[in-house]
Amino acid sequence: MSAPFNILIVDDDRAMRASLVDLLEAAGWRVEALPRASQVIDRLAGLAPDVILSDVRMPDMSGLELLAKLDATAPPVVLISAHGDIPMAVQAMQEGAYSFVEKPYDPRRLLSILRHAAEQHRMARGTDRLRARLAELSGLDRILLGTTPEIAALRRDVLDMATTAAPVLLQGETGTGKELVARALHDLSPRADAPFLALNCAAIAADRFEAEMFGTAGEATGRLVAVSGGTLFLDEVCACPAPVQAKLLRVIEEQEVTPSGAPGPVRIDLRVVSASNEDTGAAVEAGHLRQDLLFRLNTVVLTLPPLRQRRDDLVLLFTHFLDHSARVYEVAPPELDHDDMTALLAHDWPGNVRELRNVAERRVLAARRGAGSVADAIRARDAPEDVPDTLREAVAVFERELIGKALRAHEGRMDAVAEALGIGRRTLNEKIVKLGLDKDALL
């Protein structure tokens, strides 16, 4: 049997207040009553009502003014007034009131309205508790670390979307953690035990796409067939070659592929998550992204906030990364002083969370030598610490640095990078693989 509902009655008329208390207590409610709306805010947390029943016209503070002061976590408010009219009722509903009742009221109707409001509030609180528990059990609060409203909303959205099969498009600047969110959507979904395939669309070679992704009958299983039942993550989707976009569109629409030499198509089952650090609408207008493909990908759009919009999370995140790097390098994490905090907050963090993590690692590496500061770590540039022993190794180091610089300068756009380096797109792809470059880590 569920616990009795709790109600807070606010009415300056003593007789009316007593009448409402009698009615609600007779119906099995736990009742608290106050004569002034101005008393509600201070008492709300301690009383924890499921619903508030408030008169509209009261001295000191009206019911509508009380409604305006309550935040989104407050219980629903039912307003009651002997002077009510249609405009007042409309205003009350527009400002967030659950319902509006005129005096003299029908007791059965009033009880019905209050019961429905209380039931919805308890259901919402139960959902919030379940969501929080799921986040705790899944470790999502440690994966998407932060306390700002933007990141808290993102965690809620991930939990909501993880259990669906709807395509999700992740938008956000480089380094905001789009692949991290994509993996969280997979790991929290019913597909968690199936494979997760991340494809860097900027690195896909159109001439090898079908053989690699669809496979060859009797010889090689295509990657899409191998991960059937799981999640396909299309990173940098705006950079996908046009011929590949057409093939991906058909795969997503038909949920089938035809391996080379196969007598017919093979059914697959993939949930698609995509990501872009570009404006997808602008990419469509520029002819870089097919509009029909975008329509298949953007059923749900989640936007990841840049770090400069999460400044309240800076110290929390940086401390987390410091502790992690300190454990990796087996040193004590360096203490943050006033100058360190100033440097953290003054920097604009164009590389977002990825840049913050790298700065924390550099700070820990400097601390191993008994030196360094956050400002130094922010200014530091990646450079090889040792001179290679052979010419081959030296050339490889030089190529890594040159290609990495070009990738950062052109934000990972492979055609632009190849043109800037004076080499072909295929040669660039081969060098990235040969040199072991992690394109995502560089951006």
Side-chain angles (χ1 to χ4, degrees):
M1 183 176 179
S2 60
F5 290 123
N6 301 321
I7 185 168
L8 173 60
I9 296 172
V10 188
D11 200 311
D12 66 317
D13 185 323
R14 180 180 295 178
M16 176 58 67
R17 194 165 65 246
S19 173
L20 289 169
V21 169
D22 289 343
L23 173 66
L24 271 298
E25 286 184 340
W29 288 62
R30 292 175 178 163
V31 184
E32 296 284 347
L34 297 173
R36 294 286 186 270
S38 57
Q39 300 172 304
V40 171
I41 302 299
D42 292 337
R43 303 279 300 276
L44 196 58
L47 297 175
D50 296 301
V51 62
I52 297 173
L53 176 62
S54 174
D55 196 4
V56 172
R57 299 181 186 271
M58 294 180 290
D60 188 25
M61 180 187 290
S62 71
L64 289 174
E65 290 171 332
L66 169 63
L67 184 64
K69 284 186 173 292
L70 297 173
D71 61 27
T73 64
V77 176
V78 175
L79 294 172
I80 185 169
S81 176
H83 310 284
D85 53 17
I86 292 177
M88 182 181 291
V90 170
Q91 181 186 358
M93 301 297 283
Q94 288 177 339
E95 294 183 6
Y98 181 84
S99 189
F100 184 93
V101 179
E102 287 189 78
K103 300 176 186 176
Y105 57 84
D106 178 347
R108 286 179 297 180
R109 179 172 179 269
L110 177 61
L111 287 172
S112 176
I113 290 172
L114 293 173
R115 185 176 65 255
H116 290 157
E119 287 173 347
Q120 287 192 17
H121 181 58
R122 284 199 177 178
M123 187 180 300
R125 284 193 304 176
T127 301
D128 289 342
R129 283 194 294 269
L130 177 59
R131 185 179 286 117
R133 180 59 177 156
L134 284 173
E136 179 183 346
L137 291 172
S138 66
L140 187 61
D141 55 341
R142 294 187 294 278
I143 297 170
L144 299 176
L145 190 65
T147 59
T148 52
E150 294 85 356
I151 205 68
L154 179 61
R155 284 195 295 264
R156 290 195 297 270
D157 289 340
V158 169
L159 283 170
D160 286 342
M161 291 300 107
T163 56
T164 75
V168 176
L169 172 62
L170 305 174
Q171 292 192 310
E173 296 177 7
T174 296
T176 49
K178 296 184 289 296
E179 183 167 349
L180 198 69
V181 172
R183 288 187 179 276
L185 286 167
H186 172 76
D187 291 341
L188 297 172
S189 76
R191 300 172 180 264
D193 292 334
F196 175 91
L197 174 61
L199 290 182
N200 185 341
C201 293
I204 292 176
D207 57 344
R208 297 200 303 269
F209 178 79
E210 288 196 22
E212 183 177 349
M213 296 298 155
F214 298 173
T216 302
E219 296 182 15
T221 301
R223 296 178 71 186
L224 296 183
V225 177
V227 300
S228 182
T231 300
L232 173 64
F233 175 50
L234 302 174
D235 197 11
E236 295 188 54
V237 68
C238 291
C240 189
V244 173
Q245 290 188 37
K247 295 169 184 175
L248 281 174
L249 176 62
R250 183 173 180 184
V251 169
I252 294 169
E253 285 182 335
E254 305 295 335
Q255 288 284 296
E256 64 181 28
V257 299
T258 303
S260 177
V266 175
R267 295 292 299 172
I268 59 173
D269 172 26
L270 293 173
R271 196 259 180 102
V272 180
V273 178
S274 54
S276 175
N277 56 15
E278 299 182 42
D279 183 326
T280 51
V284 169
E285 290 183 5
H288 300 153
L289 180 65
R290 291 177 60 124
Q291 188 172 55
D292 49 1
L293 176 59
L294 176 61
F295 289 158
R296 287 292 182 180
L297 300 176
N298 69 351
T299 302
V300 176
V301 178
L302 299 183
T303 301
L304 280 65
L307 193 54
R308 62 182 173 275
Q309 293 179 6
R310 301 173 51 198
R311 292 198 176 273
D312 289 347
D313 284 339
L314 268 173
V315 176
L316 173 67
L317 286 166
F318 193 71
T319 302
H320 170 75
F321 293 139
L322 275 181
D323 291 343
H324 174 75
S325 292
R327 288 193 300 272
V328 170
Y329 293 107
E330 298 181 342
V331 297
E335 297 287 338
L336 295 178
D337 59 22
H338 174 69
D339 290 341
D340 289 333
M341 300 284 284
T342 300
L344 276 175
L345 296 173
H347 190 53
D348 200 37
W349 300 106
N352 294 294
V353 177
R354 182 181 294 141
E355 180 187 7
L356 185 72
R357 183 177 59 243
N358 292 340
V359 167
E361 183 175 11
R362 286 199 292 269
R363 177 67 189 94
V364 168
L365 288 171
R368 295 176 70 194
R369 302 188 296 271
S373 68
V374 170
D376 292 338
I378 291 173
R379 287 193 296 267
R381 295 180 179 179
D382 294 330
E385 296 183 359
D386 301 315
V387 177
D389 294 327
T390 68
L391 181 60
R392 183 187 298 274
E393 291 172 341
V395 170
V397 168
F398 177 75
E399 287 188 333
R400 284 193 193 96
E401 290 296 307
L402 194 61
I403 293 174
K405 181 179 178 181
L407 283 167
R408 286 189 290 268
H410 296 281
E411 297 181 337
R413 295 189 295 274
M414 298 294 283
D415 289 334
V417 172
E419 183 178 353
L421 293 172
I423 59 178
R425 173 70 177 269
R426 177 178 294 181
T427 301
L428 175 60
N429 289 335
E430 290 173 349
K431 283 187 176 293
I432 287 175
V433 173
K434 181 179 178 180
L435 295 169
L437 284 169
D438 185 345
K439 183 167 172 279
D440 290 336
L442 290 169
L443 296 177

